[in-house]
Amino acid sequence: MSLFNVCSWWSAQCSDPGEEYDVASLLCARFGLETQEKDYIIVGSQTGQLSIYYPHSRGYDATDLLLESQMEAPIIGLYAGKFSGNVRNENANQLGVLLPNAIVIYNVVAIGGLAEHGTQLRLQVQTEHKFQRVSFGLCQGHFGQVKGREFFCVVHLDGTLTFFEQDGISYECRFPGHRALPAPVAYCERTDSFFRFSATWDLQCFSYQDLSHSLVTTSSYQPTWSQGVGEGIVDMRVVQVKENCSYIMILGERNFISLDDNGKFNFMLKLDYAPKCFTSFVVGYYWEPGARLISAIISDSSKLHLYEEANIIWAAQWPNQSPAPVAIQRSNVQNLAGAIVTLGARGQLDVGYLGADPFQFQVQPLNMEELSFAQAHKELQKLEDEIKEAVDVRDMDALNQQAADQVRLSFTIEQEANDDLDTLLLDVPADVAVKELPSAKGLLRCKIKAELAELQLVFQTPDGVRCSQDTVSFVNVPAGTSKEFKLDFYTAELLHIHSTKVEVVASFLSTRGIPRVIQQSANLPLSMFYRTCQPQKAAGIKLTYSITSRHVSPKLATFFGEFLEEQSDSHALGLQLLCPGLEKQSEVITVVAAKNSNRFRIQSDYVETFAMILERIVERTLQLDNSAGLIKMDKKKPKRGVLNRCVERLMAVPFLPAQPILHRIDVHHETQQSIRKQTDQLEDLWQQFKTLQRQLQEQSESEPKEALTMQIESNYDQLILEGDKLVEIRRDERKRRCDLNCAVALAKWIIHALNLEERVVNVVSSVLSVPIEDWTELSWEESMAPGIDMLHHFGPLTRSKSSSTHGLLDANAGTKDSFDYSRFRRHFATLFDRIVRLAASPVAVNIEKGKEETSTEEKPSPIQQVDEIGNMQRMLGEKGLPLVPPKRKSNMSSSLEAVEDDEEYDEEDLREDVGYRKEYGATDQKNPNNKKRSEWVNEDFELPTTEELFSDLGIWW
């Protein structure tokens, strides 16, 4: 065997020079346009560029390009076949173009040229099928062994198959198993079966009959046979070699494998190179005894290897092909039969043949330079520094500061609302545009100090508010670049809005590939969502805040400058919510400032009106206090026993409107249940519709079809009606979710200013996160249940210590298969009640006094009766108060908290007992040898680590 060059006969450069081509971007086919027709070469790029070539002679000519078109979406694959039954010419094929969310079938029509101008082609849309899932590939064939027409199925990224027939009937199915990797699916006409490569590297065979009778939701059938391949595959093809047998040719990552259609291995050839692509074909006719199976494989070094079954018969080098081609096919072009057509990753299209020009191999001279260990060590140290800079996240403050220095952002929003919004240019919905709601203008300045490979700016707005530019992306940004963006923020949906905060997130990649993210935020003006009205004297929900900071003036003009002048002495302000602007009721909130004290009263009959007002009061108070030179809230790590530092600036009266909040949760949960019920009903109707269609297709022409047709039409009308109902329920669910956002945000802003331990405030705030999210398989209530359950059973917000099983989960809590909403609601209400009772306790924490009188803690305390609130305060670490154990034996376990662990703990407190459970608590001072614990925590108020805590409880965290 000698190594030769592949001779180039015809070559062209496709219109898209980028790396936008893969194995499915090349197709050689005929369309039946003329009698002596040869193969057309069709190329489609992932940018949507479609080109059709028809080589006439050696060397490229301008008339060889017959069609060039730009598609609306990236081209996933190209296919040719008899996809339509409405074509008069039986020999004509249609062109199928697979897009991410659709497949379009075209008729290729020839237009004769004038004078020396050659023939041109034109595409006529025959049909278009759209689908919801993203496509990966396509498989075509005579499914069901139907003669004279071809069907095709689309393989999606999630493993679902969508079958399309010429009569317009389509249905979906899914392979069995929990996971399906995107991989080629091949069809064998002889056995009417499909071959699929599973996630466990097994080649599985499924009959078309099983697939056609399966559903998307249920796939209980099993494969006909399965064979382990043991590696990932590059491509797979089915070739019929004999009249009674077809071969499955598989190109693996390191092996070339062949099986027959019954799952028996023919051969497995180990390759000593990395393959890129391959094609297999039969020389002769498969029913003749002399038919030969030939396979052509291209390696990553641009070498072509030809095999006859498992024996290599030829090898040749592709000259001037770097990198290696990504697609190869055998074709019969004009004046060259059996040509080899290849396509490169950058669009290099080449038609060649196996010539006899020998390839002169020359050994490269060896580099005999002397190795410098000092230079090598210097380069190694430089690489280590770059790696450390990219992956070392121990000093996050320094990394964030470095990122802020590389990309400097300045984001501001004007505090005056505007009424000159161009609703047509910004595509504002008609129901919103007719209300003429105010808008706000913003400005973002971005200055890049270092060279960046990629930069993306994303504007995150609350639900119902939209920005004129949601996302902005840049590539190869040089250092010193300055960008300025003028933004418009406007109401796009008539929903209740829970926050005025708008965040801009800048994510970028340095030239060395190091990712960084920085963000800044600004607040929209309240005049964009409220307008002044007459204050109300009475309301159902009343909240009271006290301004405890001496740097903040307790005036309404300090917090609501959009509605009042700076020198205004008004003590009452009424605001009416503009959005959603209900006609039957006016959502009014009233803010009253006390004349002789520093208190505010906020009152309204509607929960949805409070969130933005409380956000403005709390954040404006903290902002004015921080600007006065005090320590910022996020610069001081909270410790045990430290009260919420927000109460030094602002304090709320302990009250939570539990019933209105729970009502919003009830309505949201009912909407979720309605969606699930409606979805199940739609699924049942869809299965009935498919069954009726299949019955109609299986009926003979002589049988009457009127009754079945009427059932199909009735079922279809019911399906459309129920689908419209589901759309309405989902629209209503979005409104209910926004209402719940406002209710949860109200609870968060109240708890944020309560007289509680700061760590408790942080934990509760992290559980009550907004905005809320609902998923297909999990609602917000179900995702919140574990966090609420933990707060219910552990920590200072737990129930009374009177039970000996305190601190442990319910015995049957973790064994329930379904979500118990009544239990979740009960725990939610109990959580609010305990927070209010704990915040209303008159006992204050004095840390300095506790530090000075540490010796008094070791003395036994007098016996007295304690209540539940006192027990909770002791859990907060009030060292200045005596610990009062109740009148019972001191062998009870202490309560366990689910808040943050301290940085250090006393190893002597972690004494092991029998089994895996550890006891935490102070030992008996009178009898140190007695290892039984008192009911209360140890004298230093230390906690076990999270791992020890949950391993003792026997649960997973």
Side-chain angles (χ1 to χ4, degrees):
M1 181 201 68
S2 301
L3 186 63
F4 294 91
N5 281 337
V6 178
C7 298
S8 179
W9 184 77
W10 183 93
S11 63
Q13 174 62 49
C14 296
S15 57
D16 193 349
E19 294 186 6
E20 306 292 346
Y21 300 89
D22 57 13
V23 66
S25 301
L26 177 64
L27 174 66
C28 297
R30 301 180 184 182
F31 300 105
L33 302 180
E34 56 187 24
T35 56
Q36 301 294 329
E37 187 182 40
K38 298 297 181 180
D39 289 346
Y40 292 87
I41 302 176
I42 305 98
V43 180
S45 70
Q46 295 174 358
T47 58
Q49 191 74 27
L50 178 65
S51 304
I52 300 180
Y53 299 90
Y54 192 69
H56 293 82
S57 59
R58 188 175 190 129
Y60 174 78
D61 189 78
T63 58
D64 294 341
L65 179 60
L66 302 184
L67 175 67
E68 198 167 29
S69 177
Q70 178 66 41
M71 298 294 170
E72 298 179 355
I75 298 177
I76 306 297
L78 300 170
Y79 307 90
K82 295 179 176 60
F83 298 134
S84 177
N86 301 325
V87 180
R88 298 179 180 178
N89 187 1
E90 296 181 355
N91 298 323
N93 290 330
Q94 289 81 44
L95 175 64
V97 181
L98 181 62
L99 306 177
N101 292 314
I103 179 170
V104 187
I105 307 300
Y106 293 99
N107 284 330
V108 182
V109 181
I111 302 176
L114 301 176
E116 296 181 357
H117 300 286
T119 304
Q120 296 181 359
L121 299 181
R122 183 165 55 90
L123 297 180
Q124 291 182 348
V125 178
Q126 179 72 21
T127 182
E128 181 179 2
H129 302 283
K130 295 185 178 181
F131 28 84
Q132 300 297 327
R133 298 177 175 87
V134 180
S135 63
F136 172 77
L138 184 140
C139 178
Q140 66 184 83
H142 302 278
F143 301 162
Q145 297 180 343
V146 179
K147 302 298 182 182
R149 54 180 180 174
E150 287 187 77
F151 302 151
F152 58 91
C153 74
V154 178
V155 184
H156 301 281
L157 286 178
D158 60 353
T160 305
L161 298 180
T162 303
F163 287 86
F164 294 94
E165 301 180 1
Q166 292 182 356
D167 299 330
I169 300 176
S170 64
Y171 52 91
E172 295 182 348
C173 69
R174 176 171 295 177
F175 289 116
H178 299 288
R179 182 177 300 173
L181 293 177
V185 175
Y187 172 74
C188 178
E189 181 180 355
R190 198 190 74 84
T191 59
D192 194 23
S193 57
F194 288 82
F195 304 108
R196 166 240 187 176
F197 191 71
S198 68
T200 57
W201 289 351
D202 293 333
L203 182 65
Q204 298 176 343
C205 174
F206 299 91
S207 65
Y208 174 68
Q209 184 177 5
D210 291 340
L211 292 176
S212 60
H213 289 81
S214 65
L215 306 176
V216 178
T217 56
T218 59
S219 54
S220 58
Y221 57 92
Q222 298 297 324
T224 307
W225 54 262
S226 178
Q227 283 287 1
V229 177
E231 65 174 348
I233 67 171
V234 178
D235 201 358
M236 176 172 58
R237 298 178 185 272
V238 177
V239 181
Q240 186 166 0
V241 182
K242 302 177 183 178
E243 190 172 2
N244 59 351
C245 183
S246 296
Y247 282 3
I248 309 165
M249 313 302 296
I250 301 175
L251 181 62
E253 297 174 349
R254 287 296 180 184
N255 295 279
F256 184 47
I257 307 168
S258 174
L259 299 89
D260 60 14
D261 49 17
N262 292 321
K264 180 181 177 181
F265 278 95
N266 295 320
F267 62 83
M268 184 173 183
L269 181 63
K270 184 175 179 58
L271 306 177
D272 56 356
Y273 53 85
K276 295 288 290 185
C277 56
F278 92 111
T279 184
S280 295
F281 52 90
V282 177
V283 177
Y285 297 99
Y286 66 87
W287 58 80
E288 296 178 352
R292 302 167 61 193
L293 175 62
I294 305 297
S295 300
I297 304 177
I298 293 183
S299 67
D300 57 348
S301 58
S302 300
K303 291 182 181 179
L304 174 66
H305 302 80
L306 289 181
Y307 296 88
E308 183 175 356
E309 295 192 355
N311 301 317
I312 188 167
I313 59 176
W314 195 265
Q317 179 75 32
W318 274 103
N320 303 323
Q321 284 281 0
S322 181
V326 296
I328 179 174
Q329 288 199 12
R330 177 177 177 264
S331 176
N332 291 325
V333 298
Q334 191 80 23
N335 300 323
L336 183 62
I340 302 174
V341 182
T342 60
L343 177 65
R346 297 183 179 273
Q348 304 95 343
L349 185 61
D350 196 280
V351 179
Y353 61 93
L354 298 179
D357 297 334
F359 173 69
Q360 302 295 333
F361 178 73
Q362 296 180 356
V363 179
Q364 297 293 332
L366 298 177
N367 187 6
M368 303 302 294
E369 295 181 2
E370 185 176 352
L371 178 63
S372 174
F373 289 97
Q375 183 67 21
H377 179 73
K378 185 177 180 180
E379 294 178 359
L380 178 62
Q381 189 67 31
K382 182 179 179 181
L383 292 175
E384 289 179 351
D385 294 340
E386 293 181 3
I387 296 174
K388 182 178 180 181
E389 181 183 358
V391 302
D392 190 6
V393 293
R394 288 176 293 181
D395 191 357
M396 289 303 301
D397 293 337
L399 292 178
N400 294 335
Q401 183 61 38
Q402 182 183 6
D405 293 339
Q406 292 177 349
V407 177
R408 297 183 179 179
L409 299 179
S410 176
F411 181 44
T412 57
I413 297 178
E414 296 180 3
Q415 293 303 307
E416 294 183 1
N418 302 301
D419 296 328
D420 56 350
L421 183 69
D422 191 345
T423 57
L424 295 178
L425 180 62
L426 296 175
D427 194 19
V428 180
D431 58 336
V432 181
V434 73
K435 291 184 176 294
E436 298 181 354
L437 298 175
S439 62
K441 294 185 178 296
L443 180 64
L444 174 64
R445 291 188 176 93
C446 180
K447 190 171 184 179
I448 293 89
K449 292 292 185 179
E451 185 178 358
L452 302 178
E454 296 180 15
L455 173 63
Q456 185 182 54
L457 301 174
V458 180
F459 298 93
Q460 297 179 351
T461 58
D463 293 338
V465 179
R466 192 178 301 169
C467 180
S468 56
Q469 298 186 46
D470 294 336
T471 306
V472 183
S473 300
F474 302 97
V475 180
N476 299 327
V477 184
T481 305
S482 297
K483 303 286 184 180
E484 185 174 302
F485 306 95
K486 295 182 179 179
L487 310 168
D488 288 315
F489 298 96
Y490 57 94
T491 303
E493 297 179 76
L494 297 179
L495 303 172
H496 285 115
I497 299 170
H498 71 281
S499 176
T500 61
K501 180 177 291 186
V502 177
E503 289 186 348
V504 53
V505 181
S507 55
F508 57 90
L509 281 176
S510 65
T511 54
R512 290 182 293 181
I514 302 175
R516 291 290 181 264
V517 177
I518 58 176
Q519 63 181 14
Q520 280 195 9
S521 61
N523 290 87
L524 298 169
L526 288 179
S527 55
M528 184 176 169
F529 310 104
Y530 295 92
R531 68 182 176 190
T532 57
C533 65
Q534 187 69 23
Q536 292 183 341
K537 295 182 179 180
I541 304 175
K542 298 179 181 180
L543 305 177
T544 304
Y545 277 80
S546 298
I547 306 297
T548 57
S549 173
R550 53 189 175 87
H551 300 281
V552 181
S553 176
K555 295 182 179 181
L556 292 179
T558 306
F559 302 94
F560 307 102
E562 302 96 326
F563 309 104
L564 300 173
E565 296 181 358
E566 186 176 358
Q567 306 298 329
S568 175
D569 293 332
S570 176
H571 293 279
L573 176 64
L575 298 176
Q576 181 181 352
L577 200 60
L578 296 176
C579 185
L582 303 177
E583 298 179 357
K584 297 182 180 180
Q585 57 187 14
S586 298
E587 298 175 318
V588 178
I589 184 172
T590 303
V591 184
V592 181
K595 298 181 179 181
N596 301 323
S597 64
N598 55 353
R599 289 193 171 192
F600 283 98
R601 166 159 289 187
I602 306 101
Q603 59 185 22
S604 176
D605 292 324
Y606 304 97
V607 172
E608 292 79 12
T609 59
F610 283 94
M612 290 184 286
I613 300 297
L614 297 185
E615 179 187 34
R616 169 61 64 89
I617 293 175
V618 175
E619 292 193 347
R620 181 62 60 86
T621 302
L622 299 180
Q623 177 185 359
L624 295 176
D625 222 38
N626 292 335
S627 61
L630 298 182
I631 301 177
K632 292 186 179 181
M633 294 286 291
D634 55 349
K635 293 297 183 181
K636 189 176 180 181
K637 186 177 180 180
K639 297 181 180 179
R640 181 184 306 285
V642 176
L643 279 181
N644 182 14
R645 281 171 287 171
C646 183
V647 300
E648 300 176 4
R649 288 94 166 160
L650 183 73
M651 182 182 296
V653 172
F655 170 73
L656 284 171
Q659 292 305 320
I661 296 176
L662 291 174
H663 174 68
R664 268 64 178 181
I665 298 177
D666 293 338
V667 173
H668 179 264
H669 178 68
E670 292 173 0
T671 309
Q672 290 292 321
Q673 295 298 106
S674 300
I675 290 177
R676 294 184 180 181
K677 182 179 179 181
Q678 191 71 16
T679 304
D680 294 339
Q681 188 174 357
L682 271 176
E683 183 69 21
D684 295 339
L685 289 173
W686 172 243
Q687 297 305 327
Q688 295 176 11
F689 185 71
K690 287 177 58 178
T691 303
L692 293 173
Q693 279 187 324
R694 194 167 300 280
Q695 291 177 1
L696 181 63
Q697 186 181 11
E698 293 175 355
Q699 277 188 349
S700 61
E701 296 181 358
S702 59
E703 297 180 4
K705 301 180 180 180
E706 289 78 7
L708 195 57
T709 304
M710 292 178 60
Q711 292 182 13
I712 292 177
E713 292 177 354
S714 175
N715 184 274
Y716 179 77
D717 295 339
Q718 186 69 18
L719 191 65
I720 296 299
L721 181 62
E722 297 299 329
D724 294 339
K725 288 183 180 179
L726 181 60
V727 172
E728 291 296 329
I729 295 175
R730 288 194 178 277
R731 187 180 295 113
D732 183 66
E733 184 257 350
R734 181 170 176 80
K735 295 179 181 179
R736 301 296 171 247
R737 189 190 310 139
C738 292
D739 295 347
L740 184 55
N741 272 329
C742 296
V744 175
L746 166 62
K748 281 192 64 175
W749 289 118
I750 295 176
I751 297 173
H752 190 70
L754 288 180
N755 188 16
L756 295 170
E757 184 186 356
E758 185 164 352
R759 299 201 309 167
V760 175
V761 174
N762 294 340
V763 171
V764 176
S765 298
S766 64
V767 173
L768 302 177
S769 59
V770 287
I772 67 172
E773 294 290 342
D774 290 306
W775 294 271
T776 304
E777 302 296 335
L778 196 69
S779 65
W780 175 81
E781 290 82 4
E782 295 171 346
S783 63
M784 282 284 292
I788 298 298
D789 192 64
M790 278 296 171
L791 291 178
H792 181 76
H793 286 88
F794 300 103
L797 297 177
T798 187
R799 55 192 172 186
S800 176
K801 298 186 174 93
S802 59
S803 175
S804 61
T805 60
H806 169 68
L808 299 178
L809 287 170
D810 294 343
N812 59 348
T815 60
K816 294 185 178 179
D817 297 332
S818 60
F819 168 66
D820 188 357
Y821 176 72
S822 61
R823 182 172 181 267
F824 165 77
R825 191 182 190 278
R826 184 173 63 253
H827 286 182
F828 215 108
T830 307
L831 173 66
F832 282 174
D833 180 63
R834 291 172 184 166
I835 290 174
V836 171
R837 285 192 294 162
L838 187 58
S841 176
V843 183
V845 176
N846 190 346
I847 301 174
E848 295 182 359
K849 181 179 178 181
K851 292 182 179 179
E852 295 174 358
E853 300 178 0
T854 54
S855 60
T856 61
E857 297 179 3
E858 301 176 357
K859 299 179 181 180
S861 304
I863 299 176
Q864 57 183 357
Q865 186 67 26
V866 293
D867 58 356
E868 182 182 356
I869 301 299
N871 296 343
M872 295 180 184
Q873 292 291 349
R874 285 168 173 77
M875 294 295 294
L876 295 178
E878 299 163 355
K879 299 185 179 180
L881 297 177
L883 298 179
V884 185
K887 297 179 181 180
R888 60 171 66 99
K889 297 180 181 180
S890 59
N891 58 352
M892 306 296 293
S893 301
S894 67
S895 295
L896 303 179
E897 297 184 10
V899 295
E900 290 185 17
D901 297 333
D902 288 338
E903 296 180 357
E904 298 180 357
Y905 56 86
D906 191 358
E907 296 288 349
E908 297 180 356
D909 290 336
L910 303 179
R911 301 186 180 92
E912 298 186 1
D913 234 337
V914 179
Y916 293 97
R917 185 182 299 277
K918 296 183 179 66
E919 301 290 345
Y920 305 96
T923 58
D924 192 354
Q925 299 293 335
K926 297 181 179 180
N927 189 6
N929 295 327
N930 186 8
K931 292 187 177 182
K932 293 184 178 181
R933 310 291 180 185
S934 64
E935 182 176 336
W936 309 109
V937 296
N938 54 53
E939 58 273 11
D940 294 330
F941 289 89
E942 297 294 345
L943 288 176
T945 63
T946 306
E947 292 79 4
E948 291 172 326
L949 169 63
F950 292 104
S951 64
D952 292 343
L953 295 175
I955 61 177
W956 176 82
W957 179 249

